[in-house]
Amino acid sequence: MPNAHDVLFKTLADPTRRAIFERLVRDGEQTVRVLTGHSGVWQPAVSKHLAVLKFAGLVRDRREGRQTHYSAEPQGLAPLIDWMRLYGAFWRDRFDALENLLNRMDQ
């Protein structure tokens, strides 16, 4: 079973899915019909992308009558943010060590 990082990276690797997620973050809750109008792909494809985003924990859905409304779940990015924070600290430490070495070499 893939871990959360793998699922998020794979999900967000697709430009259409990223665009849908970004639209939901920026504009708030929207129906599949509205998302389809802005995506440039057919409704069945948008629905599949939304299913992948939902599986990854990046969107949630809400039924209202015959329509499904989708909204972003930005906290779904938490595993990715944690992963990036870990490697950000790693590289910051490496650059600090390099700077210290270069300072010692100058003296």
Side-chain angles (χ1 to χ4, degrees):
M1 176 143 221
N3 67 33
H5 303 111
D6 293 340
V7 171
L8 285 171
F9 278 122
K10 186 175 180 179
T11 299
L12 294 172
D14 185 277
T16 302
R17 282 195 288 270
R18 273 195 320 273
I20 290 170
F21 179 71
E22 290 169 5
R23 177 167 293 283
L24 291 170
V25 168
R26 185 180 58 247
D27 299 339
E29 185 178 82
Q30 296 188 22
T31 64
V32 175
R33 182 177 179 169
V34 171
L35 290 168
T36 299
H38 293 288
S39 69
V41 296
W42 295 102
Q43 184 274 322
V46 170
S47 293
K48 287 181 181 179
H49 286 302
L50 286 165
V52 173
L53 287 162
K54 184 177 175 183
F55 177 77
L58 295 172
V59 300
R60 69 174 178 269
D61 59 353
R62 177 181 65 81
R63 297 282 302 174
E64 185 175 293
R66 294 178 58 190
Q67 293 189 347
T68 303
H69 299 259
Y70 287 88
S71 56
E73 288 283 350
Q75 64 271 24
L77 293 171
L80 183 60
I81 293 167
D82 293 342
W83 183 86
M84 290 172 51
R85 189 175 293 124
L86 172 71
Y87 283 96
F90 170 81
W91 284 111
R92 189 172 39 256
D93 292 346
R94 295 290 181 174
F95 286 128
D96 288 347
L98 177 60
E99 184 178 26
N100 290 336
L101 174 65
L102 293 173
N103 287 336
R104 286 193 316 263
M105 291 173 66
D106 278 342
Q107 297 172 354

